Amino acid sequence: MKKLTLLVMSLVLGFGLMAQVPTELPDDFEAYTVGQKLAEQNPTLWTTWSNAPGGDEDPIISDEVASNGTNSVKITAGNDCVLPLGDLTEGNYTVKFKVLVPTGYIGYYNILHAFDGANSEWGTQVYFGADGAGLVDGGEAGAGSFTYAYDTWITVENKINLTFDQATVTIDGVDLVTWQWSMGTFGEPGLNQLGAANFYAWDEEGTPTMYID
């Protein structure tokens, strides 16, 4: 799976944001240079939490593992990359990608209502925690839990219907949590908007390393 589809454009990536009226704008991890930083290579599409492509927050392109082709993005200590999604306010979308967590490590991502560094507004966050224990915050803390296998590509879907203000987090085809999207991660009223995806090297339960493709 290598496609990100917006309401008005489709970006062929290791991600998918799929809507009902796609057109094509190609971009692919396979065209990136291995060992160099993601946002630095494509700052028009990617950025970092501090809007500093090329810095420590910017993850590298890796050929160590891949779900499709030979390249993926490696999220490790200090990384905090962001994929802005246009602050969408209407339509039905699925933000879809694959995650691999190596044995003994942990991973994390979130989907934002709005991206503005420390002033960002969270829509949901998902933890790939220690010992294969996963957790979803959506509408409330600890709204859903799951188990995952190390060293295995996991399909993640974030189904966000802005028209009906509803979202669902799906892991490997299993719907885990459905909630009112504008209520955010912890049930606090916020924007009914799709702002960005954020892949952060969360380290509270262990050492972060996660591949996304």
Side-chain angles (χ1 to χ4, degrees), residues 104-152:
Y105 292 91
I106 60 175
Y108 167 91
Y109 78 90
N110 63 64
I111 307 294
L112 299 169
H113 291 162
F115 168 56
D116 185 20
N119 297 315
S120 297
E121 184 177 303
W122 274 252
T124 184
Q125 57 188 3
V126 177
Y127 298 88
F128 296 85
D131 300 320
L135 184 71
V136 180
D137 294 333
E140 62 178 319
S145 62
F146 61 98
T147 58
Y148 69 94
Y150 287 120
D151 305 306
T152 301

Side-chain angles (χ1 to χ4, degrees), residues 8-79:
V8 293
M9 66 181 176
S10 152
L11 306 169
V12 181
L13 283 168
F15 298 83
L17 173 52
M18 292 171 287
Q20 296 170 341
V21 189
T23 58
E24 294 294 326
L25 175 63
D27 191 0
D28 195 319
F29 290 152
E30 301 306 303
Y32 289 67
T33 301
V34 172
Q36 295 187 13
K37 294 179 179 291
L38 170 64
E40 186 174 34
Q41 293 188 67
N42 193 351
T44 61
L45 183 61
W46 292 90
T47 189
T48 73
W49 193 254
S50 302
N51 283 312
D56 290 342
E57 292 178 336
D58 197 351
I60 65 166
I61 299 295
S62 170
D63 60 1
E64 296 169 344
V65 292
S67 172
N68 187 22
T70 60
N71 293 351
S72 63
V73 177
K74 185 177 183 179
I75 307 295
T76 189
N79 293 161

